Amino acid sequence: MKVHTTNYENTFIEVAEDCPAVSGEIPKQKAEVRTIAAIEFEMISKHPYQYTSDDVLFQVFADKNDLTKSEYEEAREKFFSKGQACLRASPLTKRYGWGVHHNEKGKIALFGRETEDYQKLLNDKNLKVVKAMRSSRK
Protein backbone atom coordinates (compact mmCIF):
# COMPACT_ATOMS: atom_id res chain seq x y z
CA MET A 1 0.00 0.00 0.00
CA LYS A 2 1.39 3.41 -0.99
CA VAL A 3 1.97 5.77 1.92
CA HIS A 4 1.40 9.47 1.32
CA THR A 5 2.89 12.23 3.45
CA THR A 6 2.23 15.91 4.11
CA ASN A 7 5.68 16.47 5.60
CA TYR A 8 8.09 19.03 4.20
CA GLU A 9 11.76 19.56 5.11
CA ASN A 10 13.55 22.91 5.25
CA THR A 11 10.37 24.67 4.18
CA PHE A 12 8.40 27.67 5.39
CA ILE A 13 4.67 27.96 4.69
CA GLU A 14 3.83 31.65 4.58
CA VAL A 15 0.39 33.00 5.44
CA ALA A 16 -2.21 33.00 2.65
CA GLU A 17 -2.51 36.16 0.50
CA ASP A 18 -6.10 36.69 1.63
CA CYS A 19 -5.58 35.91 5.32
CA PRO A 20 -7.52 38.50 7.37
CA ALA A 21 -5.26 38.28 10.47
CA VAL A 22 -2.53 40.91 10.75
CA SER A 23 -0.79 38.88 13.46
CA GLY A 24 -0.87 35.31 14.72
CA GLU A 25 -4.21 34.81 16.49
CA ILE A 26 -5.12 32.02 18.90
CA PRO A 27 -8.11 30.18 17.39
CA LYS A 28 -11.28 30.60 19.43
CA GLN A 29 -12.80 27.49 20.98
CA LYS A 30 -16.35 26.74 19.85
CA ALA A 31 -18.57 25.37 22.65
CA GLU A 32 -17.90 21.69 23.39
CA VAL A 33 -16.32 20.72 20.10
CA ARG A 34 -12.62 21.45 19.56
CA THR A 35 -12.03 22.96 16.14
CA ILE A 36 -9.37 21.76 13.72
CA ALA A 37 -7.55 25.07 14.21
CA ALA A 38 -7.67 24.74 18.02
CA ILE A 39 -6.28 21.18 17.98
CA GLU A 40 -3.50 22.10 15.53
CA PHE A 41 -2.61 25.28 17.43
CA GLU A 42 -2.49 23.56 20.79
CA MET A 43 -0.27 20.72 19.57
CA ILE A 44 2.20 22.84 17.62
CA SER A 45 2.41 25.89 19.92
CA LYS A 46 2.90 23.83 23.09
CA HIS A 47 5.45 21.50 21.47
CA PRO A 48 7.46 23.38 18.81
CA TYR A 49 9.62 21.10 16.64
CA GLN A 50 8.29 17.98 18.35
CA TYR A 51 5.74 16.87 15.73
CA THR A 52 5.67 16.48 11.96
CA SER A 53 2.82 17.72 9.81
CA ASP A 54 1.65 14.10 9.48
CA ASP A 55 1.56 13.72 13.28
CA VAL A 56 -0.60 16.83 13.71
CA LEU A 57 -3.02 16.09 10.84
CA PHE A 58 -3.51 12.50 11.98
CA GLN A 59 -4.15 13.66 15.58
CA VAL A 60 -6.87 16.04 14.32
CA PHE A 61 -8.44 13.12 12.42
CA ALA A 62 -8.16 10.84 15.49
CA ASP A 63 -9.70 13.46 17.82
CA LYS A 64 -12.53 14.28 15.40
CA ASN A 65 -13.34 10.56 15.03
CA ASP A 66 -12.99 9.69 18.74
CA LEU A 67 -10.37 7.02 18.07
CA THR A 68 -8.81 5.15 20.98
CA LYS A 69 -5.01 4.83 21.20
CA SER A 70 -5.31 1.14 20.31
CA GLU A 71 -6.92 2.08 16.98
CA TYR A 72 -4.20 4.60 16.02
CA GLU A 73 -1.72 2.38 14.18
CA GLU A 74 -4.23 0.83 11.78
CA ALA A 75 -6.17 4.10 11.35
CA ARG A 76 -2.98 6.06 10.61
CA GLU A 77 -1.97 3.55 7.94
CA LYS A 78 -5.39 3.84 6.34
CA PHE A 79 -5.45 7.66 6.70
CA PHE A 80 -2.15 8.07 4.83
CA SER A 81 -2.98 5.48 2.16
CA LYS A 82 -4.80 8.40 0.48
CA GLY A 83 -3.31 11.82 -0.15
CA GLN A 84 -4.18 14.40 2.52
CA ALA A 85 -4.23 18.19 2.41
CA CYS A 86 -1.03 19.59 3.94
CA LEU A 87 -0.73 22.51 6.34
CA ARG A 88 -0.90 24.92 3.38
CA ALA A 89 -4.66 24.30 3.69
CA SER A 90 -4.74 24.66 7.49
CA PRO A 91 -6.96 27.32 9.07
CA LEU A 92 -3.83 28.44 10.97
CA THR A 93 -2.13 29.54 7.74
CA LYS A 94 -5.30 30.61 5.88
CA ARG A 95 -7.25 32.46 8.59
CA TYR A 96 -5.26 32.92 11.81
CA GLY A 97 -1.98 34.49 10.61
CA TRP A 98 0.51 31.72 11.43
CA GLY A 99 3.45 30.68 9.28
CA VAL A 100 4.69 27.10 9.67
CA HIS A 101 8.39 26.26 9.64
CA HIS A 102 9.43 22.69 8.83
CA ASN A 103 13.01 22.01 9.95
CA GLU A 104 15.51 19.59 8.36
CA LYS A 105 13.80 16.67 10.16
CA GLY A 106 10.30 17.74 9.07
CA LYS A 107 9.38 18.86 12.62
CA ILE A 108 7.21 21.98 12.75
CA ALA A 109 6.76 25.23 14.68
CA LEU A 110 4.44 28.25 14.34
CA PHE A 111 5.45 31.87 13.81
CA GLY A 112 3.01 34.80 13.89
CA ARG A 113 3.22 36.93 10.76
CA GLU A 114 3.96 40.01 12.87
CA THR A 115 7.19 38.56 14.34
CA GLU A 116 10.82 39.15 13.40
CA ASP A 117 11.32 35.37 13.23
CA TYR A 118 8.55 35.11 10.61
CA GLN A 119 10.35 37.71 8.45
CA LYS A 120 13.70 35.93 8.91
CA LEU A 121 12.20 32.61 7.81
CA LEU A 122 10.43 34.26 4.86
CA ASN A 123 13.75 35.65 3.63
CA ASP A 124 15.94 32.63 4.47
CA LYS A 125 17.66 31.56 1.23
CA ASN A 126 18.20 28.04 2.62
CA LEU A 127 14.46 27.41 2.94
CA LYS A 128 11.89 26.63 0.33
CA VAL A 129 9.07 29.15 0.84
CA VAL A 130 5.52 28.20 -0.19
CA LYS A 131 2.32 30.18 0.25
CA ALA A 132 -0.67 28.85 2.15
CA MET A 133 -3.74 28.33 -0.02
CA ARG A 134 -6.12 31.22 -0.48
CA SER A 135 -9.56 30.97 1.09
CA SER A 136 -11.24 32.47 -1.95
CA ARG A 137 -10.63 32.30 -5.66
CA LYS A 138 -9.19 35.33 -7.39
Side-chain angles (χ1 to χ4, degrees), residues 1 7 15 19 22 24 26 35 59 62 103:
M1 179 178 354
N7 295 339
V15 172
C19 176
V22 291
I26 297 172
T35 62
Q59 193 60 56
N103 70 13

mmCIF file of all heavy atoms in Angstrom, residues 1 7 15 19 22 24 26 35 59 62 103:
data_model
loop_
_atom_site.group_PDB
_atom_site.id
_atom_site.type_symbol
_atom_site.label_atom_id
_atom_site.label_comp_id
_atom_site.label_asym_id
_atom_site.label_seq_id
_atom_site.Cartn_x
_atom_site.Cartn_y
_atom_site.Cartn_z
ATOM 1 N N MET A 1 0.840 -1.186 0.000
ATOM 2 C CA MET A 1 0.000 0.000 0.000
ATOM 3 C C MET A 1 0.886 1.251 0.000
ATOM 4 O O MET A 1 1.811 1.358 0.784
ATOM 5 C CB MET A 1 -0.894 -0.024 1.257
ATOM 6 C CG MET A 1 -1.771 1.172 1.363
ATOM 7 S SD MET A 1 -2.944 1.274 2.761
ATOM 8 C CE MET A 1 -2.874 -0.233 3.637
ATOM 9 N N ASN A 7 4.490 15.874 5.000
ATOM 10 C CA ASN A 7 5.684 16.467 5.600
ATOM 11 C C ASN A 7 6.538 17.183 4.566
ATOM 12 O O ASN A 7 6.691 16.723 3.441
ATOM 13 C CB ASN A 7 6.532 15.387 6.281
ATOM 14 C CG ASN A 7 5.829 14.747 7.447
ATOM 15 O OD1 ASN A 7 4.896 15.313 8.010
ATOM 16 N ND2 ASN A 7 6.256 13.560 7.822
ATOM 17 N N VAL A 15 1.821 32.752 5.300
ATOM 18 C CA VAL A 15 0.393 33.001 5.439
ATOM 19 C C VAL A 15 -0.245 33.253 4.065
ATOM 20 O O VAL A 15 0.382 33.839 3.181
ATOM 21 C CB VAL A 15 0.188 34.213 6.382
ATOM 22 C CG1 VAL A 15 -1.248 34.654 6.435
ATOM 23 C CG2 VAL A 15 0.690 33.871 7.778
ATOM 24 N N CYS A 19 -5.376 36.125 3.891
ATOM 25 C CA CYS A 19 -5.576 35.910 5.324
ATOM 26 C C CYS A 19 -5.955 37.230 5.995
ATOM 27 O O CYS A 19 -5.263 38.231 5.841
ATOM 28 C CB CYS A 19 -4.295 35.362 5.955
ATOM 29 S SG CYS A 19 -4.413 35.176 7.745
ATOM 30 N N VAL A 22 -3.768 40.135 10.916
ATOM 31 C CA VAL A 22 -2.533 40.913 10.751
ATOM 32 C C VAL A 22 -1.407 40.366 11.632
ATOM 33 O O VAL A 22 -0.243 40.666 11.432
ATOM 34 C CB VAL A 22 -2.736 42.425 11.032
ATOM 35 C CG1 VAL A 22 -3.591 43.058 9.964
ATOM 36 C CG2 VAL A 22 -3.317 42.641 12.402
ATOM 37 N N GLY A 24 -0.438 36.652 14.344
ATOM 38 C CA GLY A 24 -0.868 35.310 14.718
ATOM 39 C C GLY A 24 -1.936 35.367 15.794
ATOM 40 O O GLY A 24 -1.724 35.980 16.842
ATOM 41 N N ILE A 26 -4.784 33.318 18.307
ATOM 42 C CA ILE A 26 -5.125 32.021 18.897
ATOM 43 C C ILE A 26 -6.556 31.696 18.474
ATOM 44 O O ILE A 26 -7.458 32.496 18.700
ATOM 45 C CB ILE A 26 -4.990 32.052 20.426
ATOM 46 C CG1 ILE A 26 -3.537 32.326 20.798
ATOM 47 C CG2 ILE A 26 -5.491 30.751 21.041
ATOM 48 C CD1 ILE A 26 -3.301 32.576 22.273
ATOM 49 N N THR A 35 -12.158 22.738 17.581
ATOM 50 C CA THR A 35 -12.030 22.958 16.138
ATOM 51 C C THR A 35 -10.694 22.398 15.642
ATOM 52 O O THR A 35 -9.765 22.183 16.432
ATOM 53 C CB THR A 35 -12.084 24.458 15.801
ATOM 54 O OG1 THR A 35 -10.968 25.095 16.433
ATOM 55 C CG2 THR A 35 -13.393 25.092 16.256
ATOM 56 N N GLN A 59 -3.555 13.444 14.250
ATOM 57 C CA GLN A 59 -4.154 13.657 15.575
ATOM 58 C C GLN A 59 -5.498 14.375 15.463
ATOM 59 O O GLN A 59 -6.439 14.052 16.173
ATOM 60 C CB GLN A 59 -3.193 14.432 16.484
ATOM 61 C CG GLN A 59 -3.616 14.414 17.931
ATOM 62 C CD GLN A 59 -3.697 13.007 18.500
ATOM 63 O OE1 GLN A 59 -2.732 12.255 18.451
ATOM 64 N NE2 GLN A 59 -4.851 12.634 19.029
ATOM 65 N N ALA A 62 -7.885 11.761 14.380
ATOM 66 C CA ALA A 62 -8.157 10.842 15.494
ATOM 67 C C ALA A 62 -9.101 11.483 16.511
ATOM 68 O O ALA A 62 -10.060 10.851 16.962
ATOM 69 C CB ALA A 62 -6.848 10.428 16.158
ATOM 70 N N ASN A 103 11.557 22.069 9.892
ATOM 71 C CA ASN A 103 13.013 22.013 9.951
ATOM 72 C C ASN A 103 13.563 20.865 9.098
ATOM 73 O O ASN A 103 12.805 20.208 8.370
ATOM 74 C CB ASN A 103 13.513 21.956 11.414
ATOM 75 C CG ASN A 103 13.199 20.628 12.108
ATOM 76 O OD1 ASN A 103 12.827 19.625 11.490
ATOM 77 N ND2 ASN A 103 13.355 20.626 13.421
#
